[in-house]
């Protein structure tokens, strides 16, 4: 084993309260100890050879420590001084940076991170969080329900607003832009925002319910901030962003700006599965969820276990735990189930994940045989049935929209 | 096969000049046609069920088209109107978004993207590029050589500046911050920048050569822009950024700002291997390279094939091609080989990748038995030997620093 890596193994070490602790799944190319040492070195103070510029005292102060090493599992403690408080890109460049590409390892996956209180407090966390969102809507207990305007792309601003309106009128709380709809020629941002927010207000008046429009501001940072300001000027309460394709720097900037504007952030996670899906390599989605919460995303997509995406129930529960577990006073992020859902999924979603979820159906609303408004009704009926503890089989007898939805898509 | 996916398969379709074309490697869960259709649908206009809001005419206009489908390879053409010009996060949310997480596929990898001229021109591209950087340095032909200050973390600002100074004095062109060094308590950004740039000017005077300091500005967007401005105010010509942990929104903002400041961007790719390393899933590094060039990174890390990182020669050559191939008038990005390098690697690097590369050695400089300055000399001697077409074996006879380096690390 290379001496330069050996010094990072301290099996008896007990992490201090103010250290970052990471757990990795790893498959070493050769020896596990060498690979584990290489990970700790590369992500803290080390490199592949001995250095003339390295002093042992300094090394002891700043070096990361492998304190647990079992078959394919390594836990590493990092002194807080290695990190810049409030700088998420820097933290990722350390604990999720070069290490994924090292020759010493065949596979490496960051499966958990513990952020100590001092670091946690250097980030804003959600401004509103789960409770804040419930307060805005005035909905205390039931799951929130929403839709994504579909088709994903191709509707004009006017058509978009109309589909949104019918969704709200039908009984949904939330309408969300698609993650790849920003400001395309057929549906420009400002026009869409103006027209959709206008009809949102109309829907609120007509239904007597508070409605939410999650308008996608994803873009270059300054453009993104401008779009958020524009939403505020129209009286909207929300901005939506693709947290990963935008990236941590832009997300942190947006979070800062939305503090001033008092807007809620809805976070979409497009691209996550490029690095979260392989169980042996990359970064676990629950780590991304924890990170997004720390930065201050109020609502985040976390999978469905029952829809079109690949995550299973266990993975979704872990994502939810990352959003809801205690975290040095940081507010809880509202978990969002979205992707291939339809009304018949509702009972299982609530059974699996509880009432504190946002259920979004795109195709499962606009694909209703009688159109969007009926589809929205069917979704809301499914939620109402679950809250009343009545089975869907019974509920469809007096609720035609739900009956037709289930006729098309079946029970799940 | 689901009807909703079938309509996206158009095997006789010929992509138009103004379409984005993506090539994916994929492994379907069941049928290849269904999986390919699902990818095209999810990344353009479709969803998992038929829609009442979808008009067939619109569909034909905006739908992506699978026009090639062979064993594990699918090519898809996307109408340009699906995208927002100049918005890289949006483009990634489409062609590299949800699709990685779909149940229909077991594995999916974006292996190539063609960006049409109209889209390409909506981005800035490198301000300086390969030729611009050569001009700044006044070095016409030889590979540039540089170092990363090591240990990665733990040196004070003063020590950092001193290590940098010795590297320049020893003969290196470039000194670069480590990717996870931003502004930590032991080495604050402003202090480091001030002290290092001061010694850079001293080194320039003493050697009569132009020197470069790539100072890492990675942070939340506005902080990043402030740091870049600060570098400019000190007379520095460069800013360095971790392009992936910062993310596309922040990178685009930085590029815009550096246009005004006339600073060169050095791009580090920390975290890339989380999604580029698995040959079956994620995004290929050459796609990231092309993207970074389009946004306007002047220099980018692209692997070494011979050092501590896992990429082989073929992969590095593909990355270089992405940085140098013709691209609608966009300047070429300077390829940077970095990671586990030492002087004896130089002949092979030049043989593999030509003269137009930047060779960076961290441990391979500061790990020299006689210290940093001698290590820098050894690196420069290796470059000189290659340029004079003299073998290292012969060159070490009259060049003691190179001889000692090779004594420690051997020929590679």
């Amino acid at each position: 084993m290379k001496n330069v890596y050996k010094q990072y193994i301290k099996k008896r070490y007990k992490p201090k309260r103010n250290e970052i602790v990471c757990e990795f799944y790893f498959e070493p190319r050769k020896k596990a100890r060498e690979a584990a040492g290489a990970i700790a070195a590369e992500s803290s103070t080390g490199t592949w050879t001995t250095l003339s510029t390295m002093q042992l005292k300094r090394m002891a102060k700043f070096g990361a420590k492998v304190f647990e090493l079992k078959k394919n599992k390594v836990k590493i403690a990092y002194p807080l001084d290695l990190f810049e408080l409030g700088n998420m890109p820097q933290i990722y460049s350390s604990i999720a940076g070069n290490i994924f590409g090292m020759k010493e390892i065949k596979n490496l996956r960051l499966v958990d991170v513990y952020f100590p209180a001092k670091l946690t407090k250097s980030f804003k966390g959600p401004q509103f969080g789960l409770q804040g969102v419930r307060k805005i809507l005035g909905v205390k207990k039931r799951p929130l329900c929403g839709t994504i305007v579909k088709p994903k792309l191709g509707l004009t601003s006017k058509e978009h607003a109309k589909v949104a309106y019918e969704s709200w009128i039908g009984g949904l709380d939330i309408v969300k832009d698609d993650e790849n709809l920003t400001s395309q020629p057929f549906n420009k941002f400002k026009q869409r925002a103006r027209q959709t927010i206008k009809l949102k207000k109309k829907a609120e008046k007509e239904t007597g319910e508070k409605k939410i429009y999650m308008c996608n501001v994803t873009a270059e940072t300054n453009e993104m901030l401008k779009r958020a300001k524009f939403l505020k000027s129209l009286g909207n309460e929300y901005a939506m962003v693709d947290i990963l394709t935008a990236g941590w720097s832009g997300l942190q900037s947006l979070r800062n700006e939305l503090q001033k504007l008092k807007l809620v952030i809805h976070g979409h996670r497009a691209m996550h599965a490029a690095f979260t899906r392989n169980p042996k390599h990359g970064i676990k989605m629950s780590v991304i969820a924890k990170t997004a919460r720390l930065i201050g995303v109020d609502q985040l997509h976390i999978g469905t276990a029952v829809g079109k995406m690949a995550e299973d129930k266990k993975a979704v529960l872990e994502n939810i735990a990352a959003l809801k577990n205690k975290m040095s006073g940081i507010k809880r992020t509202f978990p969002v189930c979205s992707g291939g859902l339809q009304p018949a999924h509702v009972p299982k979603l609530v059974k699996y994940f509880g009432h504190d979820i946002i259920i979004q159906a795109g195709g499962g609303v606009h694909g209703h045989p009688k159109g969007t408004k009926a589809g929205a009704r069917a979704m809301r009926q499914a939620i109402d049935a679950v809250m009343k503890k009545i089975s869907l089989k019974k509920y469809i007898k007096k609720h035609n929209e739900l009956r037709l939805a289930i006729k098309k898509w079946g029970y799940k």
Side-chain angles (χ1 to χ4, degrees), chain A:
Chain A
M1 179 177 180
K2 275 191 188 173
N3 247 329
V4 285
Y5 297 147
K6 202 172 170 180
Q7 58 191 314
Y8 291 88
I9 313 271
K10 308 257 179 205
K11 279 207 169 179
R12 284 189 196 156
Y13 185 77
K14 277 196 186 136
K16 292 177 191 133
R17 265 187 56 196
N18 60 355
E19 291 187 314
I20 288 190
V21 175
C22 292
E23 181 185 332
F24 296 94
Y25 168 92
F26 81 120
E27 294 176 2
R29 170 105 20 222
K30 291 177 188 163
K31 287 178 194 158
R33 271 172 63 88
E34 181 157 342
I39 298 165
E42 183 67 33
S43 55
S44 63
T45 58
T47 189
W48 59 276
T49 182
T50 49
L51 293 176
S52 59
T53 43
M54 184 86 120
Q55 294 159 14
L56 283 177
K57 244 186 358 194
R58 205 79 55 88
M59 175 54 224
K61 189 173 170 199
F62 293 112
K65 289 147 196 95
V66 172
F67 66 94
E68 202 180 307
L69 181 56
K70 288 175 192 164
K71 200 178 176 321
N72 297 127
K73 181 172 142 182
V74 54
K75 285 193 182 180
I76 302 178
Y78 297 86
L80 195 56
D81 270 354
L82 290 172
F83 303 96
E84 181 183 354
L85 295 179
N87 186 340
M88 195 55 82
Q90 189 277 331
I91 295 170
Y92 267 66
S93 289
S94 295
I95 62 171
N98 284 348
I99 47 177
F100 296 111
M102 299 179 79
K103 268 184 185 163
E104 280 85 355
I105 51 127
K106 275 192 290 188
N107 280 301
L108 179 70
R109 180 165 165 88
L110 178 56
V111 295
D112 203 6
V113 185
Y114 164 77
F115 294 117
K118 195 175 166 190
L119 187 127
T120 302
K121 283 172 187 160
S122 73
F123 290 92
K124 288 201 155 63
Q127 185 177 185
F128 299 89
L130 199 154
Q131 283 309 326
V133 166
R134 283 205 175 280
K135 212 171 152 189
I136 288 171
L137 269 167
V139 175
K140 281 189 185 154
K141 205 182 161 199
R142 69 166 168 82
L144 305 184
C145 55
T147 189
I148 310 100
V149 175
K150 301 275 175 181
K152 288 170 90 80
L153 297 176
L155 296 181
T156 63
S157 308
K158 215 172 164 179
E159 291 167 331
H160 184 279
K162 195 169 162 259
V163 171
Y165 172 73
E166 289 182 357
S167 308
W168 285 313
I169 287 286
L172 297 180
D173 307 303
I174 295 170
V175 172
K176 174 187 152 300
D177 285 349
D178 212 275
E179 76 282 358
N180 50 15
L181 179 66
T182 54
S183 191
Q184 280 92 324
F186 56 85
N187 189 350
K188 289 282 190 185
F189 177 80
K190 283 193 173 178
Q191 229 174 330
R192 175 171 80 254
R194 253 192 231 110
Q195 290 172 354
T196 309
I197 291 166
K198 197 175 135 195
L199 290 190
K200 178 181 93 101
K201 290 176 183 169
K202 188 168 184 285
E204 283 175 340
K205 242 185 215 164
E206 289 172 18
T207 60
E209 292 183 338
K210 180 72 196 157
K211 301 293 182 185
I212 282 174
Y213 173 40
M214 299 177 337
C215 186
N216 188 1
V217 300
T218 306
E220 174 273 325
T221 315
N222 289 316
E223 182 59 32
M224 193 151 71
L225 303 189
K226 267 189 223 163
R227 290 179 187 180
K229 273 182 209 160
F230 186 71
L231 292 176
K232 179 68 184 184
S233 77
L234 297 176
N236 207 43
E237 301 88 351
Y238 267 72
M240 163 193 166
V241 62
D242 299 345
I243 64 169
L244 296 169
T245 59
W248 300 140
S249 293
L251 182 63
Q252 284 198 256
S253 312
L254 183 65
R255 174 61 187 88
N256 291 346
E257 183 70 21
L258 296 200
Q259 184 77 31
K260 295 177 216 156
L261 300 177
K262 306 265 173 250
L263 294 190
V264 185
I265 308 183
H266 176 85
H268 191 283
R269 56 179 184 156
M271 195 170 91
H272 81 93
F275 54 88
T276 65
R277 188 165 178 180
N278 181 343
K280 296 180 169 184
H281 190 77
I283 304 169
K284 204 169 167 179
M285 181 58 212
S286 52
V287 172
I288 299 295
K290 207 180 263 189
T291 308
R293 178 184 175 193
L294 199 55
I295 292 177
V297 169
D298 295 287
Q299 308 179 171
L300 183 68
H301 289 231
I302 44 85
T304 64
V306 298
K308 69 181 173 183
M309 298 301 172
E311 283 157 315
D312 63 11
K313 185 181 160 193
K314 184 169 168 274
V316 177
L317 281 171
E318 286 170 341
N319 295 342
I320 291 178
L323 298 185
K324 289 198 190 168
N325 282 349
K326 279 206 177 171
M327 200 181 184
S328 318
I330 294 278
K331 286 186 182 139
R332 292 177 298 161
T333 296
F334 218 138
V336 179
C337 298
S338 187
L341 296 181
Q342 51 102 336
H345 286 127
V346 173
K348 207 173 255 181
L349 287 169
V350 173
K351 190 181 152 199
Y352 285 179
F353 310 126
H355 289 124
D356 279 337
I357 50 172
I358 298 172
I359 300 174
Q360 293 177 175
V365 165
H366 314 293
H368 192 282
K370 296 276 185 190
T372 292
K373 197 166 147 189
R377 278 204 184 119
M379 266 307 288
R380 182 68 179 265
Q381 287 162 358
I383 302 249
D384 291 344
V386 168
M387 292 308 288
K388 291 176 187 163
K389 299 189 176 164
I390 302 172
S391 74
L392 297 191
K393 269 192 182 139
K394 196 169 169 193
Y395 213 68
I396 58 169
K397 285 177 191 163
K398 289 192 179 169
H399 296 87
N400 197 41
E401 290 86 358
L402 183 60
R403 188 182 62 78
L404 289 172
I406 286 172
K407 198 178 157 199
K408 179 170 181 182
W409 293 307
Y411 292 100
K412 293 282 161 170

